[in-house]
Amino acid sequence: MEKLRITLGAVSRPLESLKVKTGDWGAEYPVVIEENCKACGDCVVYCPDLCIELVETGEVDEKGRKKKVAKVNYDYCKGCGTCSVVCRHEAIKMEIKELYKG
Amino acid sequence: MKLFGSGHGACPGCGLPIAVKSVLEGTGPCFVANATGCLEIISSQYGKSAWGVPYIHSVFENSAAVAAGIEAALKALGRKDEGPVVVFAGDGATADIGIGCLSGMFDRGHDVLYVCLDNEAYQNTGNQQSGLTPPGSNTTTTPAGKVLPGKVKPKKDMVSIALAHKARYVATASVAFPRDITRKAKRALEFEGPKYLQIHSVCVTGWGIAGKQAIPVARLAVETALYPLVEYEDGQLVRVRKIKDRKPVEEYLKPQRRFRHLFKHPKGKEVIAELQRIADENAKKYGLDE
Ligand SMILES: Cc1ncc(C[n+]2csc(CCOP(=O)(O)OP(=O)(O)O)c2C)c(N)n1
Ligand code: SF4
Ligand code: SF4
Ligand SMILES: [Mg+2]
């Protein structure tokens, strides 16, 4: 059967929210301490703004596996601190933005 | 392509996006019907949609009916293989204004996964009580003061209501455990017919906590047994999340502004005792203590 196509009212395109940069919302920002990061991915599953990924460092570990670390996309991070709180390896600490210091 | 993306407008630390992305991780590409509420407002403004899946918002009370219609259409067109139908609706939309449509969807046996995002009040309009607001909570319609110690009645038992409709899979989850949400969403889809998943979701503004307290507070709701995580399949209780060293309810209440008055209100002690009684009862009913 031919596919139905009905377009009534307002139709949005997928993921248009990506053009809304929410990175300037917060007063704090997370810093990943790479040597502590075990790439467990906890911060990734919790981040409400979907702005942390595990990325390859380019190095390999003792067992020959490609090393990964958490990387924050500051375009969208709202500085909520969730990643820092859920990290079990003390690999993410929150810092105050320059603008809000003093 | 991501199924839900960055750039949405949720408050920093909000539980809703955690719940949504964890459900979508389990369901994969699907058709989403969303009730009016915070999730709709933060994710579907024209030209700013955060969705990477087909998404429809109609009104506040009818998302179960809209989903039922989508499911019936997919069936009639022979397109059921294109993905499951999923509802996201708030606690107000689910337990109060949309409960008629939800009951109808259950009753007609539609193959729909209904997800209730339970942030325990009408949060998008600024924290009014719903049927799922817990006792003692200070909301704008149950203001703590001379007359009331916050909300008086208990949370509506939506799990029992779903079970009474013979929903095939009925479970609770929490944003404190995103991987558990994903597993439950996936498991739910193994059942053909209506499914109900209720997710405890922190509202930083309504509950009066900082973003970084969101997950620890959500965890305490589970660890005190105030929010038991349970799973029913075809009416049978099959799994619960056990609790090691159950904590007193005060530990959950104290950090939240919505419960702060309980520690000085003349009726506060009574309400806290009632909440502890509810937690004890949950622990006993579901065998939560390890
Ligand atoms: C028929 C109708 N009544 C009232 C409203 C106003 N309204 C919009 S969102 C909302 C609160 C939604 O609460 P809930 O379902 O719990 O979702 P939340 O925003 O808390 O996630 C209300 C009352 C409306 N949009 N339509
Ligand atoms: S601070 Fe919040 S928004 Fe930013 S990366 Fe961490 S969890 Fe995500
Ligand atoms: S008001 Fe509450 S539920 Fe709504 S976006 Fe903010 S934190 Fe989330
Ligand atoms: Mg709500």
Side-chain angles (χ1 to χ4, degrees):
Chain A
M1 185 192 281
E2 206 186 320
K3 288 192 177 181
L4 266 187
R5 195 181 173 87
I6 307 171
T7 36
L8 283 176
V11 176
S12 293
R13 303 282 149 221
L15 298 170
E16 290 171 300
S17 63
L18 291 175
K19 69 178 179 234
V20 185
K21 302 284 163 68
T22 51
D24 58 359
W25 285 28
E28 296 187 4
Y29 64 101
V31 177
V32 178
I33 304 153
E34 294 198 2
E35 53 283 16
N36 289 0
C37 177
K38 304 271 184 292
C40 65
D42 279 358
C43 53
V44 178
V45 299
Y46 280 94
C47 172
D49 288 281
L50 304 97
C51 56
I52 312 187
E53 273 181 340
L54 297 180
V55 297
E56 288 176 6
T57 60
E59 297 162 57
V60 286
D61 66 13
E62 318 81 60
K63 290 182 180 148
R65 286 174 306 211
K66 285 181 179 160
K67 260 198 182 166
K68 285 186 171 181
V69 287
K71 185 166 187 273
V72 178
N73 182 342
Y74 295 105
D75 279 352
Y76 301 106
C77 168
K78 293 174 187 163
C80 69
T82 296
C83 51
S84 168
V85 168
V86 300
C87 177
R88 292 167 292 170
H89 307 287
E90 290 181 42
I92 305 182
K93 66 171 198 296
M94 301 302 291
E95 300 258 6
I96 297 176
K97 286 180 184 169
E98 221 35 64
L99 181 68
Y100 297 96
K101 275 188 188 157
Chain B
M1 188 169 71
K2 273 194 179 171
L3 306 183
F4 191 80
S6 309
H8 61 71
C11 303
C14 175
L16 299 178
I18 303 176
V20 169
K21 68 175 186 169
S22 305
V23 168
L24 295 176
E25 182 79 25
T27 61
C30 57
F31 298 88
V32 168
N34 185 196
T36 307
C38 267
L39 178 64
E40 168 251 333
I41 299 294
I42 65 165
S43 70
S44 75
Q45 282 180 42
Y46 187 55
K48 297 179 187 175
S49 172
W51 296 89
V53 294
Y55 167 96
I56 181 170
H57 162 248
S58 174
V59 293
F60 196 3
E61 62 272 30
N62 70 352
S63 50
V66 170
I70 295 169
E71 190 262 345
L74 289 171
K75 207 178 199 170
L77 295 168
R79 288 174 56 184
K80 288 267 291 175
D81 58 331
E82 287 181 32
V85 181
V86 180
V87 174
F88 288 107
D91 51 288
T94 301
D96 300 337
I97 190 168
I99 198 167
C101 289
L102 175 59
S103 175
M105 187 277 280
F106 281 157
D107 191 43
R108 295 187 302 272
H110 289 283
D111 190 18
V112 167
L113 169 59
Y114 188 104
V115 180
C116 170
L117 300 165
D118 184 11
N119 54 19
E120 304 196 311
Y122 293 80
Q123 298 298 5
N124 190 61
T125 38
N127 195 28
Q128 291 78 38
Q129 74 143 343
S130 81
L132 282 173
T133 302
S137 189
N138 183 11
T139 73
T140 62
T141 46
T142 56
K146 282 206 188 79
V147 184
L148 287 174
K151 190 191 175 184
V152 178
K153 293 281 186 156
K155 274 173 86 76
K156 198 181 277 191
D157 188 354
M158 286 304 297
V159 166
S160 294
I161 290 171
L163 287 170
H165 283 81
K166 309 270 185 280
R168 297 213 50 208
Y169 179 87
V170 178
T172 53
S174 163
V175 295
F177 305 101
R179 292 184 177 96
D180 182 59
I181 298 177
T182 300
R183 182 185 64 76
K184 283 171 176 162
K186 209 180 267 173
R187 179 70 185 155
L189 294 185
E190 290 175 29
F191 294 81
E192 196 179 337
K195 304 157 269 273
Y196 181 76
L197 175 59
Q198 182 174 303
I199 305 175
H200 198 217
S201 180
V202 182
C203 171
V204 289
T205 10
W207 298 10
I209 54 174
K212 61 173 176 291
Q213 289 174 290
I215 297 301
V217 163
R219 226 178 256 152
L220 281 166
V222 175
E223 290 168 351
T224 53
L226 277 173
Y227 217 94
L229 302 190
V230 303
E231 226 177 331
Y232 287 87
E233 297 180 358
D234 285 325
Q236 296 299 313
L237 182 65
V238 290
R239 277 175 292 273
V240 300
R241 186 179 191 95
K242 294 274 188 182
I243 306 168
K244 229 186 263 165
D245 305 321
R246 184 150 56 89
K247 302 204 163 91
V249 296
E250 283 94 336
E251 284 195 36
Y252 170 65
L253 306 174
K254 260 197 189 127
Q256 305 183 54
R257 191 183 55 222
R258 64 177 174 156
F259 295 120
R260 198 157 56 190
H261 59 283
L262 294 178
F263 296 92
K264 36 185 201 279
H265 195 280
K267 287 192 190 133
K269 274 213 174 79
E270 243 172 81
V271 179
I272 293 173
E274 171 63 8
L275 284 161
Q276 188 59 59
R277 194 194 58 72
I278 292 171
D280 293 344
E281 203 178 276
N282 286 338
K284 198 168 151 212
K285 178 176 175 191
Y286 297 116
L288 299 177
D289 289 321
E290 208 168 56

